[in-house]
Amino acid sequence: MVVIKAKSMGFCKGARDSIKGVKDLIVERKQISVFGELLHNKKVIDNLKKIGIGFVEPNPDVVVKGKLVIRAHGISNALMKKLKEKNDVIDLTCPKVYKIHALANFYEKKGYHIVYLGKANHPEAEGTLGNLKNYTLVTNLNDAKQIKKKKIAFIAMSTCQISKFNEIANYFKENKLDPIIINTICESTRAHQDSAKKLSEKSDVMVIIGGKQSSNTKELFELCKKITPSIWLENPEEIKKYECLIKNAKTVGLTAGASTPDEDIEELFTLLEVINNKRA
């Protein structure tokens, strides 16, 4: 059995910057609380709690001692303003998310109906759409086909599936007059998905590791399972439950979501090698 790692996987720049940001505050001996989960990975959150980083429910009326940190997913302008009234806020919103906010606001002011490909109740989607009045959230092509508005601008959550975005974009090009279409899926997501797709095409089994609340990990899993049998794990030890499936494979592909730490990837790779050695 050969285990092959995807060329692009694991922490994106936004995740690394967020973790570094809160750790730097701890080093400065500042008391901090994060507004919601910093990222969707239980192990990472648990490790941050161990070094003194607090987490609060994303309640608009929250008041904390010390610093209140806004995670990479971002929040709406109105919510930011309200939180700043009673808290010392540090904003760690990913710059690429802010770019999506700016594009959505710009085209709405130009009179366009914003069509947003994303996930309902996801914090990034709530932050972007919270700034808008004239929008429709879509999750698939069928949703897009229900839109009657003629003047539309189409954008996406930064972690959406590229193929889904392209499918809807092509529909709008054929059925709307001069639609504005901007692929706002971040470069890291695109690279992860492209790498996972190529690896799936030459693997008997794909193993995807990442938090079960992680939107980008879910998209990787959905992409891979259309091509080859795929396993989605939240932590490396879970691979032991799939030993029989793994042992029968000649080639196993390994990829990881953007909130998966390097150590989890390496531990999983080692466990796959252990399973392989049992065959010898």
Side-chain angles (χ1 to χ4, degrees), residues 52-72:
I53 295 170
F55 295 86
V56 295
E57 288 296 317
N59 184 327
D61 297 315
V62 71
V63 178
V64 304
K65 293 181 180 179
K67 309 287 186 181
L68 179 64
V69 173
I70 305 304
R71 56 192 171 180

Side-chain angles (χ1 to χ4, degrees), residues 4-6 8-10 192 195-196 199 206-210 220 224 253-257 265 268:
I4 305 174
K5 294 179 183 177
S8 176
M9 64 173 168
H192 281 23
S195 183
L199 185 53
M206 279 294 293
V207 181
I208 302 97
I209 183 166
L220 285 175
C224 294
L254 171 59
T255 190
I265 296 170
L268 179 55

Side-chain angles (χ1 to χ4, degrees), residues 41-153:
N41 187 290
K42 186 177 183 301
K43 184 176 180 180
V44 172
I45 297 300
D46 288 344
N47 287 338
L48 292 174
K49 287 179 179 177
K50 289 176 184 177
I51 62 172
I53 295 170
F55 295 86
V56 295
E57 288 296 317
N59 184 327
D61 297 315
V62 71
V63 178
V64 304
K65 293 181 180 179
K67 309 287 186 181
L68 179 64
V69 173
I70 305 304
R71 56 192 171 180
H73 300 111
I75 57 176
S76 69
N77 295 338
L79 180 54
M80 181 72 80
K81 182 180 179 181
K82 183 169 185 178
L83 291 175
K84 283 184 175 181
E85 289 173 357
K86 296 183 179 179
N87 296 278
D88 186 0
V89 173
I90 293 179
D91 187 5
L92 293 183
T93 301
C94 177
K96 293 171 184 176
V97 172
Y98 264 138
K99 182 180 178 181
I100 298 173
H101 286 200
L103 286 167
N105 294 343
F106 175 81
Y107 282 105
E108 184 184 48
K109 288 177 182 177
K110 290 282 187 180
Y112 286 85
H113 183 80
I114 306 301
V115 181
Y116 181 85
L117 175 62
K119 181 180 177 183
N121 302 317
H122 188 282
E124 183 185 329
E126 290 179 337
T128 302
L129 300 179
N131 294 329
L132 306 174
K133 293 180 180 179
N134 186 20
Y135 72 87
T136 301
L137 169 69
V138 299
T139 59
N140 53 47
L141 179 59
N142 187 56
D143 289 346
K145 288 181 177 180
Q146 310 309 310
I147 295 173
K148 306 302 181 185
K149 302 284 186 179
K150 294 181 180 180
K151 188 177 180 181
I152 63 117

